[in-house]
Amino acid sequence: GDSVTQMEGPVTLSEEACLTINCTYTATGYPSLFWYVQYPGEGLQLLLKATKADDKGSNKGFEATYRKETTSFHLEKGSVQVSDSAVYFCAPAVNSGNTPLVFGKGTRLSVIA
Amino acid sequence: DAGVIQSPRHEVTEMGQEVTLRCKPISGHNSLFWYRQTMMRGLELLIYFNNNVPIDDSGMPEDRFSAKMPNASFSTLKIQPSEPRDSAVYFCASSFQSGEQYFGPGTRLTVT
């Protein structure tokens, strides 16, 4: 079946450090890919998405590129801030249309000043 | 748009009591999802609806759990009777065809 493997945390970085959170998936076809972020005490929010191969999703300084060859969608940010401390979830869509996303286990990021 | 609305935000109840969680999806969205999140098990999909029809309830843990969607703007998740191991944060999410889901703020349930 479809699944997603996400880098395990927790990840602790100093402010302005570079961030990479790895995500690989298995799926039939070419699903849309999403990253969600969950700040403490809140629900999940869509961070960015990519819908086809080589697309790059970006938002708030975060980027992720849809790599069909390696079935990966790694999340990157060049300079993290304390306010980026949250849990990040990788989520491929199994099929187009209204079917559930498959969420990774989440990676907790802590950024210290 | 107000986003996905969930109520109550917090619920504390005693074991054996009935609990009803409520969700109002974003207007115009035609799919609705119920998730449960715990430290031990992470984020679990319980059930989802398309056009008010339950499509997959294989994630519902036991017969004590039930969900309904009587119309496009309202859904409930009921636990009867509740048990301490049901303590978790329950999220509702909705979407419109793109796969992109929008989550509510969650209901934190504590069963003592």
Side-chain angles (χ1 to χ4, degrees), chain B:
Chain B
D1 198 312
V4 175
I5 298 172
Q6 291 186 249
S7 64
R9 293 294 310 276
H10 302 273
E11 176 79 35
V12 180
T13 191
E14 292 183 347
M15 183 174 63
Q17 295 299 304
E18 178 180 296
V19 174
T20 299
L21 311 182
R22 296 173 175 80
C23 176
K24 176 178 170 55
I26 291 173
S27 177
H29 283 189
N30 59 348
S31 286
L32 184 141
F33 308 83
W34 281 102
Y35 292 89
R36 178 173 68 176
Q37 186 177 42
T38 61
M39 290 293 293
M40 292 296 294
R41 302 173 70 93
L43 191 67
E44 304 173 276
L45 175 67
L46 301 178
I47 184 172
Y48 78 98
F49 297 82
N50 281 351
N51 298 312
N52 312 340
V53 177
I55 302 301
D56 184 357
D57 66 354
S58 59
M60 297 285 262
E62 299 171 33
D63 291 346
R64 298 184 296 106
F65 285 69
S66 62
K68 294 182 179 179
M69 191 165 186
N71 56 62
S73 59
F74 184 65
S75 177
T76 59
L77 177 68
K78 185 177 295 186
I79 308 173
Q80 166 62 19
S82 58
E83 296 182 4
R85 60 194 167 116
D86 301 332
S87 298
V89 181
Y90 290 82
F91 289 105
C92 175
S94 69
S95 73
F96 179 71
Q97 294 187 346
S98 66
E100 182 174 321
Q101 294 179 21
Y102 294 84
F103 281 73
T107 295
R108 182 174 295 278
L109 173 63
T110 303
V111 183
T112 61

Side-chain angles (χ1 to χ4, degrees), chain A residues 44-64:
Chain A
L44 281 70
Q45 303 174 22
L46 179 66
L47 179 60
L48 55 81
K49 68 177 182 181
T51 56
K52 61 183 186 296
D54 299 325
D55 263 3
K56 178 183 285 187
S58 61
N59 186 24
K60 299 182 180 180
F62 290 89
E63 294 183 339

